[in-house]
Amino acid sequence: MFSADNLEPYYLSRTDVNHPLASCSKFGFELDDANWPSVEHYYQGMKFEDPALREEVRNAAHPNKAQKLAANNKRSIRKDWKQMREVVMTRAIYIKCRSHPEVAAALLATTEQKIIETSQYDYYWGCGRDGLGHNTFGKVLMAVRSKLREQQSV
């Protein structure tokens, strides 16, 4: 068997609305008593404790609009957001995979590849321009992939 080091990395962009693993792709799911049109809607909405603001983000026509609404209301972002953001993203990706077998299949098809989010400007979620970013989105996808594999083998 090949080690993950021998496989080509799997590159994707969170903002690619046509890629099933992207947070902006329109694969809706139910979580926290609401139906969310995309992972990005959920992620942006969960930045806020105010139910009206959260609902406004949830109802945004496009994931980009959800991002803009959140950015325009950055003074209202919950105080613990930096501690919560990875958990929120992980929950959303996992529920998306559980709600859409084709998304789970796409994630499992990456086998043991390292998944890299290609954002040149985001050094937290992506790899950054120089490839030295945290790649947190890729790490979240790989963690969910491991969890799905674990559940398959039970």
Side-chain angles (χ1 to χ4, degrees):
M1 185 164 144
F2 293 99
S3 76
D5 295 338
N6 293 337
L7 296 173
E8 285 290 316
Y10 186 89
Y11 296 99
L12 79 139
S13 168
R14 280 187 352 267
T15 61
D16 181 354
V17 295
N18 297 312
H19 195 294
L21 301 181
S23 63
C24 289
S25 62
K26 293 254 187 148
F27 285 91
F29 55 91
E30 186 176 332
L31 187 56
D32 295 332
D33 300 321
N35 287 307
W36 298 91
S38 73
V39 166
E40 196 64 33
H41 281 83
Y42 178 77
Y43 176 80
Q44 298 298 335
M46 295 311 289
K47 288 180 176 180
F48 308 103
E49 292 171 334
D50 175 5
L53 191 49
R54 192 179 276 182
E55 190 66 9
E56 189 179 352
V57 171
R58 188 177 74 80
N59 288 316
H62 190 278
N64 291 347
K65 292 209 187 276
Q67 288 173 332
K68 284 181 180 139
L69 272 168
N72 291 340
N73 289 282
K74 61 183 167 194
R75 289 187 179 173
S76 299
I77 292 176
R78 50 195 278 186
K79 303 280 184 254
D80 65 347
W81 183 242
K82 284 205 186 245
Q83 292 78 35
M84 293 298 301
R85 61 188 174 173
E86 190 173 337
V87 171
V88 167
M89 184 65 81
T90 302
R91 287 182 74 219
I93 295 289
Y94 177 75
I95 295 300
K96 175 182 172 178
C97 287
R98 298 295 296 182
S99 301
H100 299 280
E102 65 272 32
V103 176
L107 182 55
L108 291 167
T110 63
T111 60
E112 296 298 319
Q113 290 170 282
K114 180 177 183 175
I115 300 173
I116 298 175
E117 202 287 329
T118 59
S119 174
Q120 292 190 12
Y121 303 103
D122 190 330
Y123 278 74
Y124 178 73
W125 291 110
C127 64
R129 179 166 295 186
D130 57 8
L132 299 176
H134 293 284
N135 189 39
T136 305
F137 189 73
K139 290 173 184 171
V140 164
L141 286 170
M142 291 183 286
V144 170
R145 179 180 66 194
S146 292
K147 180 76 172 164
L148 293 174
R149 272 216 184 89
E150 202 176 281
Q151 291 170 340
Q152 276 184 334
S153 65
V154 173

